[in-house]
């Protein structure tokens, strides 16, 4: 290949590269603008609530928002020590949902299922805010304060985002910004809550 043909080849290559970069930049900007428009939009979904008698009730997103709510601070830590929060969390207490499904006995358990297949089980005491390990921001264990477990739909005064678990996520809240709980129980993308009898 001669010097002139090399120069022509490189000029064409860099021209094509610049055009691609401009096109990609435009697509990215358009995507960012669209994303920005949707940032505060609620991601709606249904919740299936099953009582210990096996009766299922499906609640829409709007019906969940009409229920009695609770507000508090939630702060979690992953199994590898990454902290998330503190957040201001709003949602429906699990105790409120349980009453709508006919109640829960002391030997019952509550199964929380996500749409990605993840599941977590709470016992009676945990549903009522007891028997959790609590930590301070230095990850030192502390005496548990009064806690509530909620089906969260709002975080920091905005509808929960998809990455944070929308439309519904489990959160453990208190009146303090400095109370951390284990993140494994903060189930994202909740779609089903079931009360299981003690013999299940």
């Amino acid at each position: 290949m001669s010097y002139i043909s090399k120069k022509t080849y490189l000029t064409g290559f860099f021209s094509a590269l610049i055009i691609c970069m401009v096109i990609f930049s435009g697509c990215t900007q358009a995507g960012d603008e669209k994303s920005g428009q949707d940032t505060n939009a609620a991601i709606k979904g249904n919740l299936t609530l099953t009582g210990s008698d096996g009766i299922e009730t499906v609640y829409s997103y709007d019906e969940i928002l009409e229920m009695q709510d609770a507000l508090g601070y939630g702060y979690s830590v992953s199994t590898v020590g990454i902290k998330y929060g503190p957040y201001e969390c709003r949602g429906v207490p699990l105790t409120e949902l349980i009453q709508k499904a006919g109640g829960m006995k002391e030997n019952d358990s509550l199964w929380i299922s996500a749409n990605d297949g993840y599941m977590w089980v709470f016992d009676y005491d945990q549903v009522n805010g007891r028997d959790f390990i609590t930590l301070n921001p230095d990850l030192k264990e502390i005496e548990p304060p009064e806690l509530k477990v909620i089906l969260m739909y709002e975080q920091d005064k905005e509808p929960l985002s998809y990455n944070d678990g929308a439309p519904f996520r489990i959160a453990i809240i208190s009146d303090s910004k400095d109370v951390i709980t284990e993140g494994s129980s903060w189930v994202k993308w909740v779609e089903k809550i079931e009360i299981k009898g003690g013999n299940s």
Side-chain angles (χ1 to χ4, degrees), residues 38-116:
D38 295 339
T39 297
N40 297 329
I43 299 172
K44 298 188 176 184
N46 295 330
L47 175 78
T48 301
L49 181 62
T50 307
S52 58
D53 55 6
I55 296 175
E56 292 186 356
T57 305
V58 178
Y59 292 96
S60 70
Y61 181 86
D62 292 333
E63 287 174 324
I64 293 292
L65 266 61
E66 290 172 359
M67 294 181 187
Q68 176 186 329
D69 65 352
L71 181 67
Y73 295 105
Y75 200 173
S76 68
V77 62
S78 72
T79 53
V80 294
I82 300 173
K83 293 183 284 187
Y84 297 92
Y87 306 115
E88 185 180 76
C89 307
R90 183 184 297 276
V92 180
L94 291 189
T95 51
E96 173 76 6
L97 288 168
I98 286 166
Q99 290 306 310
K100 292 183 179 299
M104 181 177 177
K105 299 182 180 69
E106 287 192 23
N107 61 340
D108 290 346
S109 57
L110 196 69
W111 295 23
I112 313 287
S113 301
N115 63 18
D116 66 348

Side-chain angles (χ1 to χ4, degrees), residues 1-17:
M1 183 182 286
S2 67
Y3 173 75
I4 294 175
S5 59
K6 281 182 181 177
K7 183 176 179 182
T8 303
Y9 170 78
L10 290 174
T11 301
F13 173 78
F14 284 115
S15 296
L17 182 61

